[in-house]
Amino acid sequence: MSTTLPPPGPGRSAAWATDPYANALRTGRGPLFLRRTDGWLLPLDVERWCGDADATDLAALRRCEGPVIDIGCGPGRLVSALAARGHRALGIDVSEAAVDHTQRLGGSALHRSVFDPLPGEGRWGTALLLDGNIGIGGDPGALLRRTAVLLAPGGLLIAETASQDVDEHVRVRLDDGRAPAAAPFPWARLGTPALLRRARRQGWRPADQWESGGRAFVALRLDRAVRTASQSADRTNSTAVISSQLPRNLSGDMPLAGS
């Protein structure tokens, strides 16, 4: 794993490297919240994240095609479950504690933001944005454009949405009720209607939507034209990722969308 990272970008927040989050992952339990500036709290489901993939997770993972990139992989339950089912899978996360946990489970993971240069750009078969990660960076439109660059033509995005019809862009802090609250960072919450509206404006095609275990999901299909336009917009911020930056348990070859 590379220990030298680019400066913080749109999706990186030092908050996720602070003790409350790292401690929660180490112990496997909360409490841990995102606290809005008005005091409203969003509980984070640390126990579920640190457990094995459950039936709801597996229903989403069965829809994955080709090699999979898990954006905001957390402690790695999804990467581990995918690897156990024969998928080539890579997790990325801005938390070192999350990446270390994923690697201890035997999964491949990089300490990196989705907005950093990544291996296999334009050749991933599926991208995952589960566990609220559609909120990364506080700008779902930018996140959708970046995801389009990562996917192969015809690639699939599987996103988890809020169960309510919400379209919220806020600044939040990580809070465990014990340590001082971390620095604020931008976050977003989207329900299914809001995500579909944004995705259609960018040319994504809805492929599926479902609910399971009280959680809501959307699958979006990437058209070739969407990927080409997104690549053009992203090119000025792209640099090569050399094989020495990859973890030892991930091949340096670019993934094949059909593998």
PDB file of all heavy atoms in Angstrom, residues 35-67:
ATOM      1  N   ARG A  35     -23.104  14.134  12.702  1.00  0.00           N
ATOM      2  CA  ARG A  35     -23.856  15.209  13.355  1.00  0.00           C
ATOM      3  C   ARG A  35     -23.930  16.410  12.417  1.00  0.00           C
ATOM      4  O   ARG A  35     -22.904  16.957  12.022  1.00  0.00           O
ATOM      5  CB  ARG A  35     -23.203  15.614  14.679  1.00  0.00           C
ATOM      6  CG  ARG A  35     -23.918  16.772  15.379  1.00  0.00           C
ATOM      7  CD  ARG A  35     -23.179  17.211  16.624  1.00  0.00           C
ATOM      8  NE  ARG A  35     -23.288  16.230  17.683  1.00  0.00           N
ATOM      9  CZ  ARG A  35     -24.293  16.169  18.564  1.00  0.00           C
ATOM     10  NH1 ARG A  35     -25.296  17.040  18.483  1.00  0.00           N
ATOM     11  NH2 ARG A  35     -24.308  15.257  19.505  1.00  0.00           N
ATOM     12  N   ARG A  36     -25.157  16.805  12.081  1.00  0.00           N
ATOM     13  CA  ARG A  36     -25.365  17.986  11.266  1.00  0.00           C
ATOM     14  C   ARG A  36     -25.149  19.240  12.112  1.00  0.00           C
ATOM     15  O   ARG A  36     -25.174  19.185  13.353  1.00  0.00           O
ATOM     16  CB  ARG A  36     -26.790  17.966  10.717  1.00  0.00           C
ATOM     17  CG  ARG A  36     -26.930  18.241   9.273  1.00  0.00           C
ATOM     18  CD  ARG A  36     -28.277  17.904   8.705  1.00  0.00           C
ATOM     19  NE  ARG A  36     -29.432  18.195   9.546  1.00  0.00           N
ATOM     20  CZ  ARG A  36     -30.664  17.744   9.291  1.00  0.00           C
ATOM     21  NH1 ARG A  36     -30.887  17.000   8.229  1.00  0.00           N
ATOM     22  NH2 ARG A  36     -31.664  18.046  10.089  1.00  0.00           N
ATOM     23  N   THR A  37     -24.948  20.383  11.468  1.00  0.00           N
ATOM     24  CA  THR A  37     -24.676  21.611  12.211  1.00  0.00           C
ATOM     25  C   THR A  37     -25.846  22.037  13.097  1.00  0.00           C
ATOM     26  O   THR A  37     -25.644  22.739  14.081  1.00  0.00           O
ATOM     27  CB  THR A  37     -24.325  22.760  11.243  1.00  0.00           C
ATOM     28  OG1 THR A  37     -25.361  22.867  10.254  1.00  0.00           O
ATOM     29  CG2 THR A  37     -22.991  22.497  10.552  1.00  0.00           C
ATOM     30  N   ASP A  38     -27.075  21.567  12.763  1.00  0.00           N
ATOM     31  CA  ASP A  38     -28.223  21.906  13.601  1.00  0.00           C
ATOM     32  C   ASP A  38     -28.427  20.912  14.740  1.00  0.00           C
ATOM     33  O   ASP A  38     -29.401  20.996  15.476  1.00  0.00           O
ATOM     34  CB  ASP A  38     -29.492  22.012  12.757  1.00  0.00           C
ATOM     35  CG  ASP A  38     -29.868  20.682  12.092  1.00  0.00           C
ATOM     36  OD1 ASP A  38     -29.180  19.675  12.319  1.00  0.00           O
ATOM     37  OD2 ASP A  38     -30.860  20.674  11.323  1.00  0.00           O
ATOM     38  N   GLY A  39     -27.480  19.956  14.883  1.00  0.00           N
ATOM     39  CA  GLY A  39     -27.548  18.989  15.970  1.00  0.00           C
ATOM     40  C   GLY A  39     -28.207  17.669  15.615  1.00  0.00           C
ATOM     41  O   GLY A  39     -28.129  16.703  16.382  1.00  0.00           O
ATOM     42  N   TRP A  40     -28.869  17.593  14.453  1.00  0.00           N
ATOM     43  CA  TRP A  40     -29.504  16.340  14.018  1.00  0.00           C
ATOM     44  C   TRP A  40     -28.446  15.259  13.846  1.00  0.00           C
ATOM     45  O   TRP A  40     -27.355  15.517  13.333  1.00  0.00           O
ATOM     46  CB  TRP A  40     -30.243  16.589  12.717  1.00  0.00           C
ATOM     47  CG  TRP A  40     -30.947  15.399  12.129  1.00  0.00           C
ATOM     48  CD1 TRP A  40     -32.204  14.969  12.412  1.00  0.00           C
ATOM     49  CD2 TRP A  40     -30.438  14.505  11.139  1.00  0.00           C
ATOM     50  NE1 TRP A  40     -32.514  13.869  11.665  1.00  0.00           N
ATOM     51  CE2 TRP A  40     -31.448  13.553  10.877  1.00  0.00           C
ATOM     52  CE3 TRP A  40     -29.222  14.416  10.462  1.00  0.00           C
ATOM     53  CZ2 TRP A  40     -31.285  12.520   9.961  1.00  0.00           C
ATOM     54  CZ3 TRP A  40     -29.052  13.392   9.556  1.00  0.00           C
ATOM     55  CH2 TRP A  40     -30.066  12.457   9.308  1.00  0.00           C
ATOM     56  N   LEU A  41     -28.760  14.027  14.274  1.00  0.00           N
ATOM     57  CA  LEU A  41     -27.803  12.924  14.244  1.00  0.00           C
ATOM     58  C   LEU A  41     -28.251  11.836  13.280  1.00  0.00           C
ATOM     59  O   LEU A  41     -29.415  11.440  13.279  1.00  0.00           O
ATOM     60  CB  LEU A  41     -27.647  12.305  15.640  1.00  0.00           C
ATOM     61  CG  LEU A  41     -27.049  13.186  16.735  1.00  0.00           C
ATOM     62  CD1 LEU A  41     -27.081  12.456  18.064  1.00  0.00           C
ATOM     63  CD2 LEU A  41     -25.627  13.592  16.383  1.00  0.00           C
ATOM     64  N   LEU A  42     -27.308  11.342  12.483  1.00  0.00           N
ATOM     65  CA  LEU A  42     -27.537  10.174  11.630  1.00  0.00           C
ATOM     66  C   LEU A  42     -26.699   9.027  12.186  1.00  0.00           C
ATOM     67  O   LEU A  42     -25.466   9.063  12.123  1.00  0.00           O
ATOM     68  CB  LEU A  42     -27.120  10.461  10.190  1.00  0.00           C
ATOM     69  CG  LEU A  42     -27.204   9.266   9.227  1.00  0.00           C
ATOM     70  CD1 LEU A  42     -28.662   8.841   9.037  1.00  0.00           C
ATOM     71  CD2 LEU A  42     -26.556   9.595   7.895  1.00  0.00           C
ATOM     72  N   PRO A  43     -27.337   8.000  12.773  1.00  0.00           N
ATOM     73  CA  PRO A  43     -26.558   6.880  13.307  1.00  0.00           C
ATOM     74  C   PRO A  43     -25.843   6.121  12.195  1.00  0.00           C
ATOM     75  O   PRO A  43     -26.410   5.894  11.118  1.00  0.00           O
ATOM     76  CB  PRO A  43     -27.619   5.992  13.978  1.00  0.00           C
ATOM     77  CG  PRO A  43     -28.834   6.865  14.131  1.00  0.00           C
ATOM     78  CD  PRO A  43     -28.779   7.840  12.997  1.00  0.00           C
ATOM     79  N   LEU A  44     -24.600   5.728  12.449  1.00  0.00           N
ATOM     80  CA  LEU A  44     -23.831   4.917  11.519  1.00  0.00           C
ATOM     81  C   LEU A  44     -23.809   3.482  12.032  1.00  0.00           C
ATOM     82  O   LEU A  44     -23.521   3.236  13.205  1.00  0.00           O
ATOM     83  CB  LEU A  44     -22.403   5.470  11.384  1.00  0.00           C
ATOM     84  CG  LEU A  44     -22.317   6.912  10.879  1.00  0.00           C
ATOM     85  CD1 LEU A  44     -20.869   7.368  10.802  1.00  0.00           C
ATOM     86  CD2 LEU A  44     -22.999   7.066   9.524  1.00  0.00           C
ATOM     87  N   ASP A  45     -24.098   2.534  11.146  1.00  0.00           N
ATOM     88  CA  ASP A  45     -24.327   1.138  11.539  1.00  0.00           C
ATOM     89  C   ASP A  45     -23.006   0.369  11.587  1.00  0.00           C
ATOM     90  O   ASP A  45     -22.753  -0.534  10.780  1.00  0.00           O
ATOM     91  CB  ASP A  45     -25.296   0.499  10.547  1.00  0.00           C
ATOM     92  CG  ASP A  45     -25.975  -0.735  11.121  1.00  0.00           C
ATOM     93  OD1 ASP A  45     -25.528  -1.211  12.186  1.00  0.00           O
ATOM     94  OD2 ASP A  45     -26.934  -1.213  10.505  1.00  0.00           O
ATOM     95  N   VAL A  46     -22.163   0.724  12.551  1.00  0.00           N
ATOM     96  CA  VAL A  46     -20.817   0.149  12.637  1.00  0.00           C
ATOM     97  C   VAL A  46     -20.865  -1.367  12.804  1.00  0.00           C
ATOM     98  O   VAL A  46     -20.079  -2.098  12.198  1.00  0.00           O
ATOM     99  CB  VAL A  46     -20.034   0.804  13.798  1.00  0.00           C
ATOM    100  CG1 VAL A  46     -18.666   0.146  13.962  1.00  0.00           C
ATOM    101  CG2 VAL A  46     -19.889   2.293  13.564  1.00  0.00           C
ATOM    102  N   GLU A  47     -21.790  -1.851  13.643  1.00  0.00           N
ATOM    103  CA  GLU A  47     -21.858  -3.293  13.879  1.00  0.00           C
ATOM    104  C   GLU A  47     -22.124  -4.058  12.591  1.00  0.00           C
ATOM    105  O   GLU A  47     -21.520  -5.103  12.337  1.00  0.00           O
ATOM    106  CB  GLU A  47     -22.940  -3.614  14.919  1.00  0.00           C
ATOM    107  CG  GLU A  47     -22.586  -3.191  16.337  1.00  0.00           C
ATOM    108  CD  GLU A  47     -22.884  -1.715  16.619  1.00  0.00           C
ATOM    109  OE1 GLU A  47     -23.303  -0.993  15.683  1.00  0.00           O
ATOM    110  OE2 GLU A  47     -22.683  -1.285  17.780  1.00  0.00           O
ATOM    111  N   ARG A  48     -23.021  -3.542  11.760  1.00  0.00           N
ATOM    112  CA  ARG A  48     -23.311  -4.213  10.482  1.00  0.00           C
ATOM    113  C   ARG A  48     -22.114  -4.124   9.547  1.00  0.00           C
ATOM    114  O   ARG A  48     -21.766  -5.092   8.877  1.00  0.00           O
ATOM    115  CB  ARG A  48     -24.569  -3.608   9.827  1.00  0.00           C
ATOM    116  CG  ARG A  48     -24.919  -4.245   8.491  1.00  0.00           C
ATOM    117  CD  ARG A  48     -26.279  -3.804   7.988  1.00  0.00           C
ATOM    118  NE  ARG A  48     -26.362  -2.370   7.771  1.00  0.00           N
ATOM    119  CZ  ARG A  48     -25.879  -1.740   6.694  1.00  0.00           C
ATOM    120  NH1 ARG A  48     -25.257  -2.431   5.752  1.00  0.00           N
ATOM    121  NH2 ARG A  48     -26.009  -0.431   6.563  1.00  0.00           N
ATOM    122  N   TRP A  49     -21.487  -2.959   9.489  1.00  0.00           N
ATOM    123  CA  TRP A  49     -20.330  -2.795   8.617  1.00  0.00           C
ATOM    124  C   TRP A  49     -19.205  -3.759   8.984  1.00  0.00           C
ATOM    125  O   TRP A  49     -18.493  -4.248   8.102  1.00  0.00           O
ATOM    126  CB  TRP A  49     -19.794  -1.368   8.707  1.00  0.00           C
ATOM    127  CG  TRP A  49     -20.733  -0.308   8.231  1.00  0.00           C
ATOM    128  CD1 TRP A  49     -21.924  -0.470   7.581  1.00  0.00           C
ATOM    129  CD2 TRP A  49     -20.558   1.103   8.382  1.00  0.00           C
ATOM    130  NE1 TRP A  49     -22.502   0.735   7.316  1.00  0.00           N
ATOM    131  CE2 TRP A  49     -21.697   1.724   7.788  1.00  0.00           C
ATOM    132  CE3 TRP A  49     -19.563   1.891   8.949  1.00  0.00           C
ATOM    133  CZ2 TRP A  49     -21.840   3.111   7.766  1.00  0.00           C
ATOM    134  CZ3 TRP A  49     -19.709   3.270   8.920  1.00  0.00           C
ATOM    135  CH2 TRP A  49     -20.840   3.869   8.339  1.00  0.00           C
ATOM    136  N   CYS A  50     -19.032  -3.999  10.276  1.00  0.00           N
ATOM    137  CA  CYS A  50     -17.917  -4.837  10.737  1.00  0.00           C
ATOM    138  C   CYS A  50     -18.275  -6.321  10.786  1.00  0.00           C
ATOM    139  O   CYS A  50     -17.428  -7.148  11.128  1.00  0.00           O
ATOM    140  CB  CYS A  50     -17.446  -4.373  12.120  1.00  0.00           C
ATOM    141  SG  CYS A  50     -16.617  -2.766  12.093  1.00  0.00           S
ATOM    142  N   GLY A  51     -19.519  -6.667  10.481  1.00  0.00           N
ATOM    143  CA  GLY A  51     -19.914  -8.068  10.451  1.00  0.00           C
ATOM    144  C   GLY A  51     -19.721  -8.672   9.075  1.00  0.00           C
ATOM    145  O   GLY A  51     -19.082  -8.096   8.188  1.00  0.00           O
ATOM    146  N   ASP A  52     -20.265  -9.856   8.894  1.00  0.00           N
ATOM    147  CA  ASP A  52     -20.240 -10.493   7.583  1.00  0.00           C
ATOM    148  C   ASP A  52     -21.330  -9.882   6.698  1.00  0.00           C
ATOM    149  O   ASP A  52     -22.317  -9.325   7.200  1.00  0.00           O
ATOM    150  CB  ASP A  52     -20.489 -11.997   7.720  1.00  0.00           C
ATOM    151  CG  ASP A  52     -19.371 -12.699   8.460  1.00  0.00           C
ATOM    152  OD1 ASP A  52     -18.212 -12.216   8.396  1.00  0.00           O
ATOM    153  OD2 ASP A  52     -19.643 -13.730   9.112  1.00  0.00           O
ATOM    154  N   ALA A  53     -21.155 -10.003   5.404  1.00  0.00           N
ATOM    155  CA  ALA A  53     -22.199  -9.571   4.483  1.00  0.00           C
ATOM    156  C   ALA A  53     -23.489 -10.320   4.784  1.00  0.00           C
ATOM    157  O   ALA A  53     -23.495 -11.550   4.919  1.00  0.00           O
ATOM    158  CB  ALA A  53     -21.756  -9.820   3.044  1.00  0.00           C
ATOM    159  N   ASP A  54     -24.596  -9.590   4.909  1.00  0.00           N
ATOM    160  CA  ASP A  54     -25.873 -10.225   5.243  1.00  0.00           C
ATOM    161  C   ASP A  54     -26.677 -10.501   3.969  1.00  0.00           C
ATOM    162  O   ASP A  54     -26.206 -10.262   2.852  1.00  0.00           O
ATOM    163  CB  ASP A  54     -26.654  -9.370   6.240  1.00  0.00           C
ATOM    164  CG  ASP A  54     -27.013  -7.982   5.718  1.00  0.00           C
ATOM    165  OD1 ASP A  54     -26.988  -7.769   4.480  1.00  0.00           O
ATOM    166  OD2 ASP A  54     -27.326  -7.103   6.535  1.00  0.00           O
ATOM    167  N   ALA A  55     -27.888 -11.003   4.155  1.00  0.00           N
ATOM    168  CA  ALA A  55     -28.697 -11.394   3.001  1.00  0.00           C
ATOM    169  C   ALA A  55     -29.001 -10.202   2.100  1.00  0.00           C
ATOM    170  O   ALA A  55     -29.034 -10.335   0.862  1.00  0.00           O
ATOM    171  CB  ALA A  55     -30.007 -12.040   3.482  1.00  0.00           C
ATOM    172  N   THR A  56     -29.202  -9.027   2.693  1.00  0.00           N
ATOM    173  CA  THR A  56     -29.461  -7.831   1.886  1.00  0.00           C
ATOM    174  C   THR A  56     -28.231  -7.450   1.074  1.00  0.00           C
ATOM    175  O   THR A  56     -28.329  -7.100  -0.112  1.00  0.00           O
ATOM    176  CB  THR A  56     -29.892  -6.676   2.800  1.00  0.00           C
ATOM    177  OG1 THR A  56     -31.132  -7.023   3.425  1.00  0.00           O
ATOM    178  CG2 THR A  56     -30.069  -5.392   2.026  1.00  0.00           C
ATOM    179  N   ASP A  57     -27.050  -7.498   1.705  1.00  0.00           N
ATOM    180  CA  ASP A  57     -25.803  -7.244   0.971  1.00  0.00           C
ATOM    181  C   ASP A  57     -25.648  -8.214  -0.193  1.00  0.00           C
ATOM    182  O   ASP A  57     -25.315  -7.824  -1.315  1.00  0.00           O
ATOM    183  CB  ASP A  57     -24.587  -7.405   1.892  1.00  0.00           C
ATOM    184  CG  ASP A  57     -24.534  -6.386   3.008  1.00  0.00           C
ATOM    185  OD1 ASP A  57     -24.957  -5.236   2.782  1.00  0.00           O
ATOM    186  OD2 ASP A  57     -24.054  -6.739   4.102  1.00  0.00           O
ATOM    187  N   LEU A  58     -25.877  -9.491   0.084  1.00  0.00           N
ATOM    188  CA  LEU A  58     -25.654 -10.522  -0.935  1.00  0.00           C
ATOM    189  C   LEU A  58     -26.615 -10.360  -2.107  1.00  0.00           C
ATOM    190  O   LEU A  58     -26.254 -10.645  -3.261  1.00  0.00           O
ATOM    191  CB  LEU A  58     -25.781 -11.907  -0.315  1.00  0.00           C
ATOM    192  CG  LEU A  58     -24.718 -12.244   0.745  1.00  0.00           C
ATOM    193  CD1 LEU A  58     -24.980 -13.627   1.342  1.00  0.00           C
ATOM    194  CD2 LEU A  58     -23.314 -12.176   0.162  1.00  0.00           C
ATOM    195  N   ALA A  59     -27.840  -9.888  -1.836  1.00  0.00           N
ATOM    196  CA  ALA A  59     -28.777  -9.644  -2.936  1.00  0.00           C
ATOM    197  C   ALA A  59     -28.228  -8.579  -3.881  1.00  0.00           C
ATOM    198  O   ALA A  59     -28.437  -8.649  -5.103  1.00  0.00           O
ATOM    199  CB  ALA A  59     -30.137  -9.216  -2.373  1.00  0.00           C
ATOM    200  N   ALA A  60     -27.530  -7.579  -3.328  1.00  0.00           N
ATOM    201  CA  ALA A  60     -26.904  -6.561  -4.177  1.00  0.00           C
ATOM    202  C   ALA A  60     -25.676  -7.126  -4.881  1.00  0.00           C
ATOM    203  O   ALA A  60     -25.474  -6.891  -6.083  1.00  0.00           O
ATOM    204  CB  ALA A  60     -26.522  -5.341  -3.332  1.00  0.00           C
ATOM    205  N   LEU A  61     -24.873  -7.884  -4.168  1.00  0.00           N
ATOM    206  CA  LEU A  61     -23.631  -8.399  -4.756  1.00  0.00           C
ATOM    207  C   LEU A  61     -23.893  -9.399  -5.872  1.00  0.00           C
ATOM    208  O   LEU A  61     -23.089  -9.518  -6.804  1.00  0.00           O
ATOM    209  CB  LEU A  61     -22.762  -9.041  -3.672  1.00  0.00           C
ATOM    210  CG  LEU A  61     -22.293  -8.115  -2.538  1.00  0.00           C
ATOM    211  CD1 LEU A  61     -21.309  -8.839  -1.631  1.00  0.00           C
ATOM    212  CD2 LEU A  61     -21.696  -6.823  -3.078  1.00  0.00           C
ATOM    213  N   ARG A  62     -25.012 -10.109  -5.815  1.00  0.00           N
ATOM    214  CA  ARG A  62     -25.339 -11.059  -6.888  1.00  0.00           C
ATOM    215  C   ARG A  62     -25.581 -10.346  -8.215  1.00  0.00           C
ATOM    216  O   ARG A  62     -25.508 -10.964  -9.282  1.00  0.00           O
ATOM    217  CB  ARG A  62     -26.563 -11.894  -6.502  1.00  0.00           C
ATOM    218  CG  ARG A  62     -26.247 -13.042  -5.547  1.00  0.00           C
ATOM    219  CD  ARG A  62     -27.400 -14.025  -5.471  1.00  0.00           C
ATOM    220  NE  ARG A  62     -28.553 -13.448  -4.806  1.00  0.00           N
ATOM    221  CZ  ARG A  62     -28.773 -13.518  -3.490  1.00  0.00           C
ATOM    222  NH1 ARG A  62     -27.893 -14.114  -2.706  1.00  0.00           N
ATOM    223  NH2 ARG A  62     -29.862 -12.993  -2.965  1.00  0.00           N
ATOM    224  N   ARG A  63     -25.860  -9.070  -8.168  1.00  0.00           N
ATOM    225  CA  ARG A  63     -26.078  -8.299  -9.388  1.00  0.00           C
ATOM    226  C   ARG A  63     -24.774  -7.785 -10.006  1.00  0.00           C
ATOM    227  O   ARG A  63     -24.788  -7.232 -11.106  1.00  0.00           O
ATOM    228  CB  ARG A  63     -27.006  -7.112  -9.084  1.00  0.00           C
ATOM    229  CG  ARG A  63     -28.449  -7.539  -8.744  1.00  0.00           C
ATOM    230  CD  ARG A  63     -29.225  -6.346  -8.195  1.00  0.00           C
ATOM    231  NE  ARG A  63     -30.674  -6.549  -8.230  1.00  0.00           N
ATOM    232  CZ  ARG A  63     -31.370  -7.188  -7.294  1.00  0.00           C
ATOM    233  NH1 ARG A  63     -30.756  -7.732  -6.251  1.00  0.00           N
ATOM    234  NH2 ARG A  63     -32.691  -7.317  -7.406  1.00  0.00           N
ATOM    235  N   CYS A  64     -23.662  -7.936  -9.302  1.00  0.00           N
ATOM    236  CA  CYS A  64     -22.392  -7.411  -9.797  1.00  0.00           C
ATOM    237  C   CYS A  64     -21.940  -8.140 -11.056  1.00  0.00           C
ATOM    238  O   CYS A  64     -22.161  -9.340 -11.209  1.00  0.00           O
ATOM    239  CB  CYS A  64     -21.308  -7.546  -8.724  1.00  0.00           C
ATOM    240  SG  CYS A  64     -21.532  -6.439  -7.315  1.00  0.00           S
ATOM    241  N   GLU A  65     -21.293  -7.396 -11.937  1.00  0.00           N
ATOM    242  CA  GLU A  65     -20.783  -7.929 -13.208  1.00  0.00           C
ATOM    243  C   GLU A  65     -19.299  -7.598 -13.315  1.00  0.00           C
ATOM    244  O   GLU A  65     -18.879  -6.468 -13.072  1.00  0.00           O
ATOM    245  CB  GLU A  65     -21.530  -7.293 -14.374  1.00  0.00           C
ATOM    246  CG  GLU A  65     -23.034  -7.492 -14.324  1.00  0.00           C
ATOM    247  CD  GLU A  65     -23.781  -6.614 -15.325  1.00  0.00           C
ATOM    248  OE1 GLU A  65     -23.123  -5.839 -16.036  1.00  0.00           O
ATOM    249  OE2 GLU A  65     -25.021  -6.714 -15.377  1.00  0.00           O
ATOM    250  N   GLY A  66     -18.501  -8.587 -13.707  1.00  0.00           N
ATOM    251  CA  GLY A  66     -17.079  -8.356 -13.932  1.00  0.00           C
ATOM    252  C   GLY A  66     -16.361  -7.928 -12.670  1.00  0.00           C
ATOM    253  O   GLY A  66     -16.829  -8.135 -11.548  1.00  0.00           O
ATOM    254  N   PRO A  67     -15.189  -7.283 -12.816  1.00  0.00           N
ATOM    255  CA  PRO A  67     -14.440  -6.829 -11.647  1.00  0.00           C
ATOM    256  C   PRO A  67     -15.164  -5.673 -10.979  1.00  0.00           C
ATOM    257  O   PRO A  67     -15.809  -4.859 -11.655  1.00  0.00           O
ATOM    258  CB  PRO A  67     -13.103  -6.380 -12.239  1.00  0.00           C
ATOM    259  CG  PRO A  67     -13.409  -6.048 -13.650  1.00  0.00           C
ATOM    260  CD  PRO A  67     -14.500  -6.976 -14.087  1.00  0.00           C
TER     261      PRO A  67
END
